[in-house]
Amino acid sequence: MAVLNSEVIRFTLLLSLCMACLCHKENLQERLFLSSLGLTSRPKPAAQFPVPSLLWKIFKGTKMPEFSAQDNDPCTVSEFGVRGNIVRFVQDQGRILSVSSDLCPGCVEKLLFFNVSALETAEQLTFAQLEIRLQQDFHPLSPRAREQEVYSMSLWKVLKATLKGISPEMTRKLLLSQSIRLTPGSIALSLTDVVKAWRKPGRNYGLVLALRPDATAAAATRLAQNVVSPHHVGAAFPEFHASLPDFRASLVVVSLNPLQCRSRRRRSALYLPVTPSNVCKPRRLYIDFKDVGWQDWIIAPQGYMANYCHGECPFPLSESLNGTNHAILQTLVHSLDSVGTPQPCCVPIKLSPISMLYYDNNDNVVLRHYEDMIVDECGCR
Ligand SMILES: *[C@@H]1O[C@H](CO)[C@@H](O)[C@H](O)[C@H]1NC(C)=O
Ligand SMILES: *[C@@H]1O[C@H](CO)[C@@H](O)[C@H](O)[C@H]1NC(C)=O
């Protein structure tokens, strides 16, 4: 009879004990979770940058699976029409290079630097877009006069470190040059190839953005103003140079981590029936990120229905308990020797993803499609 081999079977079974239930090393667990999000430690966002409305839109879109096609690829960012499961909003860490000198009144030159080292090696970058947002600021000129100011905007990619005395033009490559008006709004520029190159070590020297008043357009503006109100002659000239454009740059980067993207359909939130039973099945569990002290870096959701598996795996193991052949044998041995061999464990066998919006270790806002966060089905293993 099989009992003869029970010692052998027991030995094998003990190796596959319910390990999940035994692990209470919170720090280790937290570290593992954080590292799977690409984080070295729990982020402590210094300044809570506002979440760009576009990210909110994508986040809200991912939360409505019943409105998207059932077999929708969860690893597509439809807003940009590219594959990806991570959207990062990278903050500019550059510095002002020069402002409004005698040579160039009203001019601003700024280094834009985006640290893209948070992208892991496994991630495939599929999309990058620079956004330059012109801000409304406090300004002596009336908004109308301001809107008439025409600036010429130039954007260069810095190719290598520049030493003093070497003409910076030698080490820059012009990416864009256009005329803009200082009205609040934004300018977007695709930078996918540039950012791909930045990922190689020692290749990211940033961008240089220069804004300078467009002399010919300025003259035309002054002429127009003079025609409208002759008694303001001359007044517009010094004021024009008193204004400095105020802008903020950010970089949206979409990447795909294929290891965290098993293409399968998402399920809508599972509403579990509350039937009293002690047989293995999913149980309701709402995880509130406040309870684990993560509310300061996880922006959304504030919590979610994670569920958990709990219950007995009794002999004989019925089909609905989704047992493996191994589990069926284990319950059999358990029924013969309940002290020496435990019941199989009730564990998650099907999980579904959620999307999370959080600050990373560099204060960037990240939207990430994250696998295996919700228990859908349990089984005896
Ligand atoms: C970029 O960020 C990483 C951490 O993600 C940091 O180690 C590194 O020093 C940063 N690089 C620069 C140039 O700021
Ligand atoms: C076993 O799987 C089926 C579908 O494959 C599911 O309906 C059932 O709820 C699962 N059993 C448990 C205990 O989760």
Side-chain angles (χ1 to χ4, degrees), residues 320-362:
S320 69
L321 290 174
N322 300 312
T324 52
N325 285 339
H326 177 274
I328 291 168
L329 276 176
Q330 187 174 338
T331 43
L332 179 64
V333 177
H334 173 76
S335 71
L336 298 169
D337 173 17
S338 61
V339 178
T341 309
Q343 270 192 349
C345 286
C346 174
V347 294
I349 57 164
K350 187 161 181 296
L351 297 123
S352 56
I354 64 165
S355 292
M356 280 173 50
L357 203 51
Y358 60 91
Y359 293 104
D360 73 4
N361 295 123
N362 282 334

Side-chain angles (χ1 to χ4, degrees), residues 247-272:
F247 59 87
R248 188 159 291 176
S250 55
L251 187 73
V252 179
V253 180
V254 181
S255 62
L256 177 75
N257 187 336
L259 306 174
Q260 291 175 356
C261 190
R262 279 167 269 135
S263 285
R264 58 170 163 62
R265 67 205 177 102
R266 318 174 48 136
R267 291 175 50 117
S268 51
L270 188 67
Y271 290 100
L272 303 166

Side-chain angles (χ1 to χ4, degrees), residues 17-293:
L17 271 179
C18 334
M19 300 208 290
C21 338
L22 300 174
C23 203
H24 286 294
K25 297 246 158 69
E26 280 161 40
N27 287 341
L28 176 69
Q29 294 288 292
E30 180 177 40
R31 257 212 320 277
L32 285 174
F33 180 79
L34 292 175
S35 81
S36 65
L37 286 178
L39 301 171
T40 48
S41 60
R42 190 191 289 193
K44 294 181 184 64
Q48 302 228 331
F49 289 100
V51 177
S53 58
L54 182 69
L55 275 194
W56 273 122
K57 202 174 136 230
I58 302 174
F59 176 75
K60 290 192 176 121
T62 60
K63 284 216 311 196
M64 292 183 284
E66 51 277 50
F67 290 106
S68 56
Q70 275 293 292
D71 52 0
N72 208 4
D73 180 0
C75 290
T76 297
V77 181
S78 55
E79 277 70 14
F80 303 119
V82 294
R83 298 259 299 147
N85 50 4
I86 307 162
V87 184
R88 286 189 176 80
F89 212 83
V90 186
Q91 303 294 339
D92 168 30
Q93 296 174 353
R95 59 183 200 280
I96 298 280
L97 296 174
S98 68
V99 285
S100 203
S101 62
D102 286 346
L103 278 174
C104 189
C107 299
V108 183
E109 208 173 63
K110 186 176 194 291
L111 177 75
L112 307 181
F113 183 81
F114 301 98
N115 189 342
V116 290
S117 69
L119 272 84
E120 293 150 71
T121 325
E123 289 176 38
Q124 299 156 10
L125 191 147
T126 55
F127 179 85
Q129 180 174 279
L130 175 72
E131 192 182 73
I132 298 158
R133 249 170 320 130
L134 298 161
Q135 320 260 38
Q136 195 130 40
D137 60 353
F138 301 101
H139 191 261
L141 284 185
S142 72
R144 253 195 78 218
R146 181 114 220 231
E147 284 170 18
Q148 287 172 329
E149 290 177 26
V150 178
Y151 272 73
S152 83
M153 182 179 86
S154 306
L155 183 74
W156 293 270
K157 177 189 169 182
V158 183
L159 303 174
K160 48 184 141 180
T162 318
L163 293 176
K164 271 203 163 127
I166 294 174
S167 159
E169 274 67 34
M170 305 279 287
T171 54
R172 294 175 182 180
K173 183 178 165 227
L174 187 68
L175 300 176
L176 174 83
S177 176
Q178 70 177 63
S179 280
I180 57 159
R181 281 181 192 277
L182 290 187
T183 47
S186 64
I187 296 151
L189 178 72
S190 169
L191 276 188
T192 309
D193 290 335
V194 170
V195 179
K196 270 185 188 163
W198 281 350
R199 294 184 68 188
K200 299 195 190 93
R203 296 292 280 285
N204 182 357
Y205 294 101
L207 305 165
V208 171
L209 180 73
L211 284 168
R212 59 184 60 204
D214 189 323
T216 47
T221 305
R222 283 198 299 278
L223 202 62
Q225 282 171 344
N226 290 349
V227 172
V228 176
S229 53
H231 52 276
H232 271 125
V233 173
F237 188 73
E239 273 177 338
F240 184 90
H241 294 312
S243 70
L244 272 180
D246 183 15
F247 59 87
R248 188 159 291 176
S250 55
L251 187 73
V252 179
V253 180
V254 181
S255 62
L256 177 75
N257 187 336
L259 306 174
Q260 291 175 356
C261 190
R262 279 167 269 135
S263 285
R264 58 170 163 62
R265 67 205 177 102
R266 318 174 48 136
R267 291 175 50 117
S268 51
L270 188 67
Y271 290 100
L272 303 166
V274 264
T275 47
S277 148
N278 58 356
V279 170
C280 171
K281 64 171 188 179
R283 318 276 166 160
R284 278 193 227 198
L285 168 67
Y286 182 82
I287 293 185
D288 190 332
F289 288 129
K290 246 195 236 122
D291 294 342
V292 281

